C-alpha cells in the first residue's frame, strides 16, 4: 500500500492500472494525462493540481 494520492510537484513514474504500462509524467499536470498505450486517464487536473489515478512507482528527483 505505497500508493501516493497527494499530487507531487516532480516527475513521477507511474504504472497504468489497466495495461501495466510504465511511463513518466509530471505529478502536477495541468491537463489530462492519458496512458500512452491504452489511453486510460492516469491523471486529471482538479483545481490546479493533478489527481493521479495511477500507481506511482517512483518519484524522480
Ligand atoms: Zn494503459
Amino acid at each position: 500500500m505505497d500508493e501516493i494520492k497527494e499530487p507531487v510537484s516532480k516527475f513521477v513514474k507511474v504504472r497504468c492500472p489497466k495495461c501495466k504500462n510504465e511511463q513518466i509524467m509530471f505529478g502536477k499536470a495541468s491537463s489530462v494525462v492519458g496512458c500512452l498505450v491504452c489511453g486510460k486517464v492516469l491523471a486529471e487536473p482538479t483545481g490546479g493540481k493533478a489527481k493521479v489515478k495511477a500507481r506511482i512507482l517512483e518519484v524522480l528527483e
Side-chain angles (χ1 to χ4, degrees):
M1 289 298 157
D2 55 351
E3 192 167 0
I4 303 169
K5 293 229 166 58
E6 291 300 311
V8 289
S9 57
K10 293 179 179 177
F11 284 92
V12 293
K13 182 188 285 184
V14 296
R15 176 183 289 156
C16 175
K18 186 176 177 183
C19 73
K20 312 303 183 192
N21 173 55
E22 294 179 7
Q23 69 186 62
I24 307 292
M25 54 166 276
F26 192 52
K28 288 173 85 173
S30 57
S31 59
V32 171
V33 177
C35 174
L36 296 174
V37 175
C38 73
K40 180 177 176 61
V41 174
L42 301 182
E44 56 187 17
T46 54
K49 294 179 180 178
K51 181 180 177 187
V52 179
K53 304 170 83 171
R55 169 149 311 196
I56 296 176
L57 302 174
E58 189 179 345
V59 177
L60 306 175
E61 297 298 333

